[in-house]
Structure formats: C-alpha cells, structure tokens
Amino acid sequence: MTQPLQAKQVSVSFDGLRALSDVTLDIPPARVSGLIGPNGAGKTTLVNVLTGFQSPTTGSVVCDGRDVSGLSAHKLRRLGVARTFQGGRLFKDLSVLDNLEVTGVGLGLTRREAASRAVDMLDWVGISHLMTDIAGSLPYTDERRVGIARALMMAPSFVLLDEPAAGMSAHEADDLADLIARIVKDMKCGVLLIEHNISLVLKICEHIHVLDSGELIDEGDPAHIKTSEKVLHAYMGTQGDVDMQGAIL
Amino acid sequence: MSTTKHPSVLAQTVSTPVILIGGLALIAVLTWAFGSNIFGRTVTEMFIRVALVVGMFTFIGNSGVISFGHAGFMCIGAYGSAWLTIPPMMKKVLLPGLSPMLANAELTFFLSLIIASLFAGVIAFAVGLILMRLSGIASSIATFAMLAVINTIYSNWGPVTGGTSSVVGIPITTGVWISFGGAAAAVVIAYLYGISRSGLALRAGRDEAVAAAASGVDIYRERLIAFTISGALCGMAGVLYAHFLGVVNPDAFYLGVTFISLSMLVVGGMSSLSGAVIGVVLISAIIELLRKMEKGITVGEGTLSLPNGIQEIAIGVVMIVILMFRPGGLTGGAELSLTRTSANDGYSKKDQGSGNHPDNKPRR
C-alpha cells in the first residue's frame, strides 16, 4: 500500500463527553510513527477509530484512498489494518500457534496454510519455542510478543501497537525496538506506536503525534517534540521550563 | 519457508472421536449381547440424547452462547420425518392440512432422516440470520423465545401438526444400532466442525471476541455456520426420537428435554466434545437408576421406593454440585485423547465463554 492510513477531522463523543475533537493524523506506509499523550488523552479511542472498533461521531478514516469510516473491525483487518491491545487479549484457551492461525483463517486461508504461515511468523519474531504453549499460561512479556506476532500475520499494511512496552524491562524494550525496526524494513509495514515509554518513542519514531484531552496538540520529529512547550505543558501542567526528556523518563 | 515442524491438527486430535465412538460402540455391543429389551430401549434413548447434546455442543461449546432453543430443532426434525413417513391414508385423517406433496409422501426412514435433518438445518439458518446478531444473555433469551414460538406453532397448527394431540403411525425403525449410528455421525460431524477453520475462528471469538474481530474473524458468520450445523444435528436427533417412539407430541420437545439436555452438557463439560458425550452417559445412568428406584427395589421382604419426581430433583442437585465444585464440568473442558498435547487444537481447556461480544468495543 502506498497511501497513508488517515484520520480526517475525527471527533468521538460518548454520551455528550467528547473523547476526540477534530483529530487529523496520517500514518505513512513503511515508517514508524508515534502517538503519545497523558492518561485519558484519547489515544486508545483514536486507535479504536482507526481499526474499526469505534465509529467516528464526525470525520472520516481513509485507507488506501478509500473512506472506510464505519467499516467493521474484521473488514478493516482484511484491508490490512492490524492492531495489538493493551491487555494482550490473546485467545487464552488456544495454543500460541492457534492464536496466530486464527488470523490466517480469518483472512481466508485453510488451516494447513494458516498453520504454515503461523510457524513462519513465530520463527521471524523469534518465539517458535512457544508454539505449543497455551496462551493463557504465558508470562507477560511473551504474551506481548505473541500479540505482536498475531497482528503481523499475513503481512498487514499498517499495524497499530497499543502500549507494547508496558511492563517490559529496558533490555526487553530494546528488543522490541529492534523488532519494530524489522517490521518496517522487512515487511514495509507502517507502524503507529502508542506508548507511555517516551524514550522508546523518541528513539524509534520518525514522526510523533501528541494528544491531550482529545485534541492533537502537536506533532513533529523527535527533536521538535522534545522541545515543544505544548507537549511539556500537557505532561507537566504549568510547572515551568523542565527538560522534556528528563522530566518524563 | 520455516523448517520448524508443527503437528497436524488431525493427527493430534483424531483419537478423541475414535475413543468416544469406540466407547459408545462398546455399550451398543454389550447391550446387543447381554441386554434385555427394556435395557435396549434405555440405551437407544441414551444414544439419541448423545446426538442431541452433541448437536447442542456444536454451537454452545464453540461459541460460548447458551442456547435454550435447540429442542425446537429436534421438534422440527421429528415432525418433518413424521410428515414424510406416515402412510398417506393415516395422514389424510390425522393431518388433513398437509400439502398434497407431503400428504402423498411415504419415504424410507433413511431418506426422511436426511431430508428432515436438512430441513431443521435450513430453519436454524433462517432463524440464525437474526439471532446470531445478538450476544450474551440477549442471545440466550432470544433462543428461548424461539423455542416458545416453535412450540406454539406446532401446538396450534392442528391440520398440519395435529396440534397438542399426539401424531401416531410413524414407522418404528430406531433401535440400538440405528441410534448408535446417529450418535456416531453426530460425534464425527461435531469433531470435523471443531477442527475446521470456522470452528477455530468461533472458539477464538468465544475467548476474546474483540481480538477475534481484530484478527479478521467475522463472528456473526461463524456463529451462523455453527448454529445451522447444530440445528441439523438436533433435527436428526428428533427424527431418531420420532422413529423410536412411533409417536410425536410438541410437549416432548419443550422444557423437559431442554433442561435435561443442558444439564448433561453442563455436567460433562460445556466446551468439550468428550464432555458432551460423558455428560449424557452419566446423567442417563443416574436417570435410569432413579427410575428403577421410583418403581421400587425389593430389599429382603420389603420394597424400597423413592417418591416420584426424584429424578428431576437429583439431576438438579448433581448440576448444582458440579457447578459449585467443578464449573468446567467433569472433563473441565479437556478432551479424551491418546496423544499428549499441550495445545488444544480441537477444543478448549476451559469451560465458559467470556461473554465478550464484537459489539463490546474497547473504549478509552
């Protein structure tokens, strides 16, 4: 896919409460973008809108030049928009292999074909030793890695990673950064990284979007975000001139 | 291409239906060799219940949605076969409202078994087009409403169904071996569905509906497929039942059979095929034992008998105890298997669905 995944002037209201206001954002193909913001900024709501789990109240979502607003999640996945979840949300009663196979059969493969692709993906991510484990028995970090492998099945055009580094050690976060770089390099997949680990975002994202109280308050490259007054204000309130990187880490 | 080997689903799981059918075959052989006529009828009835409960499992076990309406498909299958096999002369008297094609039909048992089962499947598909859009408790209540609607139609459409009167004249063909064949066929079909693409996708949706949708699974479609297959299997059980008794009545396919069959599924383990079969065998054995004790057992010079109705009470107590101490049923959701597998390619380890629904969208 050569065109970006776009949110155009997206607003979402829940019973009068405005969760997103006129958010416009592009996720370009084969690049890593970041989405940051304090708790309650609307990051997950935006991810839900971009992946078909939430219809925008106003505005639109465009994929491959086509308006896909209101399309259901499974149909958007078939168009190549994949995601992970904050809580993992693995199919806990199924094996790791089956967790990946589900995406294969969901996208039209036979079980044999899906199993073969799933094995390849587990190898690629480096977790083939987990293949026969029951997903519900995995430790937290492995659960995250399986969630990413499941999302990457069938080479999606875009993948939205919702807090993949939560609970990871610095070493594990470095491994995750390497994996994300490989996703872009090997799969030519556009990545949106939603994270509270700002150092990770600043390290690997080429372009970063900042949400606060449902509004996109700033965007730019890491150098710009590090020095942005608006971003600092969103994270630190009005406490003055504090170095962004030092303050948040 | 990876060099890592992965086990074939079929090779990993085929021992489950082999064990289950083997166990049922053993019961059939022992009954044929040593059983009395009355015991033969008990075993025949048990095999019919295996077909019914396995049919219910195909939907309930894989989707996690409890259905109270599957006895309705049994009713549709039973009456469908009655329409196709009762001699035309009798139908003119008993069921004068039948269309000429049905009124003049007098098919063989096996042909009517296939047609009536498919008819139940078609009705399940039509009803499922609407009901499968619902989820959780709403879906379960809707299946119960469907059962009430089917019962009301069959109880009141007198010229076609005979109303609340019993429809007689159905050729009695179902014995131990035919009912065993029906039960074995149900086990094989349920197993094949379980290892199919649709079965895997539906179980994923049962565990995590939101994640399944994010994996490209159309849960509505998968539920509809399972509901249709399970409707046809329950219809087949209805045909077997009609040709076992030789008479059908709408109330035979209402609350009583719904309670008993769900009890069997819960006791055995709602999310495993083995649980469905084991639950039927166990509860059938308890029912038979209590039935004998209600009639009275001679002890010395006296007769020990239990009060009537003790069967239902005992089944209720067994179900409560199982739910309290082993919520996953006796099998805990595991399958009987000869191979040691950590992965449950066929069926799940746990029992109940998460209650998730594709419409339960994750929100901020």
Side-chain angles (χ1 to χ4, degrees):
Chain A
M1 206 171 283
T2 55
Q3 299 191 54
L5 176 65
Q6 298 172 299
K8 289 188 171 177
Q9 293 183 302
V10 165
S11 294
V12 174
S13 297
F14 298 123
D15 300 326
L17 180 69
R18 211 161 169 87
L20 288 176
S21 296
D22 280 334
V23 173
T24 295
L25 168 149
D26 281 11
I27 306 171
R31 284 175 62 185
V32 186
S33 307
L35 178 63
I36 61 172
N39 284 331
K43 302 185 294 294
T44 299
T45 302
L46 183 58
V47 170
N48 288 342
V49 169
L50 287 166
T51 52
F53 284 95
Q54 175 70 54
S55 294
T57 310
T58 59
S60 60
V61 176
V62 175
C63 180
D64 205 17
R66 171 185 160 199
D67 186 348
V68 294
S69 317
L71 221 55
S72 58
H74 73 271
K75 286 182 179 164
L76 259 173
R77 180 61 184 88
R78 290 172 186 180
L79 289 177
V81 181
R83 69 171 291 180
T84 64
F85 295 91
Q86 277 182 31
R89 286 189 183 262
L90 297 186
F91 309 122
K92 295 191 188 305
D93 290 348
L94 303 182
S95 69
V96 167
L97 183 71
D98 283 350
N99 263 265
L100 272 68
E101 262 192 76
V102 168
T103 306
V105 301
L107 300 183
L109 297 184
T110 63
R111 280 203 73 171
R112 185 187 292 267
E113 292 165 342
S116 175
R117 295 283 285 267
V119 169
D120 288 346
M121 179 53 67
L122 289 170
D123 271 349
W124 189 82
V125 175
I127 51 173
S128 52
H129 58 286
L130 302 175
M131 189 189 301
T132 55
D133 289 1
I134 295 297
S137 68
L138 294 177
Y140 190 74
T141 310
D142 285 342
E143 200 175 280
R144 289 298 162 105
R145 293 197 292 173
V146 172
I148 293 171
R150 184 177 67 182
L152 293 175
M153 273 286 287
M154 311 294 288
S157 302
F158 300 97
V159 64
L160 286 65
L161 304 175
D162 199 352
E163 299 192 17
M168 286 188 176
S169 66
H171 177 68
E172 288 165 341
D174 285 344
D175 288 346
L176 177 66
D178 291 344
L179 176 62
I180 292 172
R182 286 171 56 217
I183 292 170
V184 172
K185 182 167 171 266
D186 296 355
M187 303 175 83
K188 309 297 177 205
C189 179
V191 176
L192 180 68
L193 177 64
I194 302 98
E195 256 302 332
H196 281 298
N197 183 341
I198 304 297
S199 66
L200 178 67
V201 175
L202 292 170
K203 179 180 166 189
I204 64 172
C205 294
E206 297 170 53
H207 192 88
I208 299 166
H209 308 264
V210 186
L211 271 180
D212 185 29
S213 301
E215 293 183 12
L216 193 65
I217 57 167
D218 205 353
E219 61 180 301
D221 60 23
H224 169 74
I225 295 298
K226 274 183 195 176
T227 55
S228 167
E229 288 284 328
K230 289 179 187 169
V231 178
L232 186 64
H233 186 267
Y235 273 94
M236 301 300 296
T238 55
Q239 290 177 11
D241 187 16
V242 183
D243 175 71
M244 166 76 185
Q245 199 168 5
I248 295 169
L249 297 183
Chain B
M1 184 63 74
S2 164
T3 53
T4 307
K5 289 187 177 176
H6 63 92
S8 138
V9 175
L10 193 70
Q12 264 195 319
T13 60
V14 74
S15 62
T16 297
V18 170
I19 292 170
L20 294 174
I21 292 172
L24 295 176
L26 184 64
I27 294 172
V29 168
L30 291 175
T31 305
W32 170 71
F34 305 111
S36 65
N37 209 16
I38 293 171
F39 188 70
R41 286 183 67 80
T42 302
V43 170
T44 300
E45 199 171 348
M46 184 192 76
F47 284 150
I48 295 169
R49 282 181 177 153
V50 168
L52 172 67
V53 175
V54 166
M56 292 167 69
F57 157 78
T58 305
F59 175 70
I60 295 172
N62 289 299
S63 72
V65 176
I66 306 287
S67 169
F68 297 108
H70 273 66
F73 300 125
M74 195 183 183
C75 178
I76 289 167
Y79 273 85
S81 192
W83 292 334
L84 293 170
T85 56
I86 293 174
M89 289 297 289
M90 288 183 73
K91 278 190 276 193
K92 277 179 188 154
V93 178
L94 295 170
L95 308 169
L98 283 179
S99 69
M101 192 181 77
L102 283 176
N104 295 320
E106 192 173 6
L107 303 184
T108 61
F109 165 72
F110 285 107
L111 194 53
S112 89
L113 176 78
I114 293 166
I115 293 172
S117 303
L118 290 177
F119 178 55
V122 168
I123 298 294
F125 175 78
V127 174
L129 285 172
I130 300 164
L131 295 195
M132 295 304 103
R133 294 189 184 282
L134 304 173
S135 200
I137 190 68
S139 177
S140 299
I141 297 293
T143 57
F144 184 66
M146 176 197 76
L147 175 65
V149 168
I150 292 171
N151 181 265
T152 304
I153 290 172
Y154 277 79
S155 297
N156 291 282
W157 199 7
V160 173
T161 64
T164 51
S165 308
S166 295
V167 174
V168 297
I170 303 168
I172 296 177
T173 48
T174 305
V176 169
W177 288 108
I178 284 181
S179 60
F180 163 72
V187 167
V188 169
I189 291 168
Y191 165 72
L192 291 176
Y193 175 76
I195 64 167
S196 72
R197 290 168 51 184
S198 179
L200 175 66
L202 189 56
R203 282 194 304 286
R206 178 194 63 191
D207 284 0
E208 272 290 353
V210 170
S215 298
V217 172
D218 182 351
I219 294 172
Y220 166 71
R221 177 177 175 274
E222 308 309 347
R223 279 187 184 163
L224 184 58
I225 292 171
F227 196 68
T228 303
I229 294 171
S230 82
L233 290 177
C234 291
M236 179 184 75
V239 174
L240 294 172
Y241 193 65
H243 289 271
F244 167 60
L245 291 180
V247 54
V248 288
N249 181 299
D251 284 344
F253 310 104
Y254 202 34
L255 298 180
V257 72
T258 298
F259 174 68
I260 294 281
S261 52
L262 277 174
S263 306
M264 291 167 166
L265 200 51
V266 169
V267 167
M270 205 176 283
S271 59
S272 78
L273 178 57
S274 306
V277 175
I278 289 169
V280 174
V281 174
L282 183 73
I283 296 287
S284 296
I286 292 173
I287 289 174
E288 191 52 29
L289 186 68
L290 292 172
R291 190 183 289 168
K292 283 193 188 313
M293 292 180 78
E294 280 178 5
K295 284 181 182 170
I297 297 173
T298 306
V299 181
E301 292 183 358
T303 302
L304 177 68
S305 65
L306 293 173
N308 287 335
I310 200 74
Q311 289 175 52
E312 284 77 10
I313 294 171
I315 291 165
V317 169
V318 167
M319 196 158 72
I320 290 167
V321 169
I322 291 283
L323 285 172
M324 281 175 67
F325 296 105
R326 206 170 162 81
L330 292 173
T331 59
E335 296 290 356
L336 297 176
S337 175
L338 292 177
T339 53
R340 185 186 152 276
T341 56
S342 56
N344 52 342
D345 264 310
Y347 315 99
S348 86
K349 293 270 181 196
K350 292 183 182 171
D351 58 321
Q352 280 121 2
S354 61
N356 276 332
H357 179 255
D359 293 337
N360 292 344
K361 295 166 182 171
R363 293 190 176 172
R364 195 174 62 114

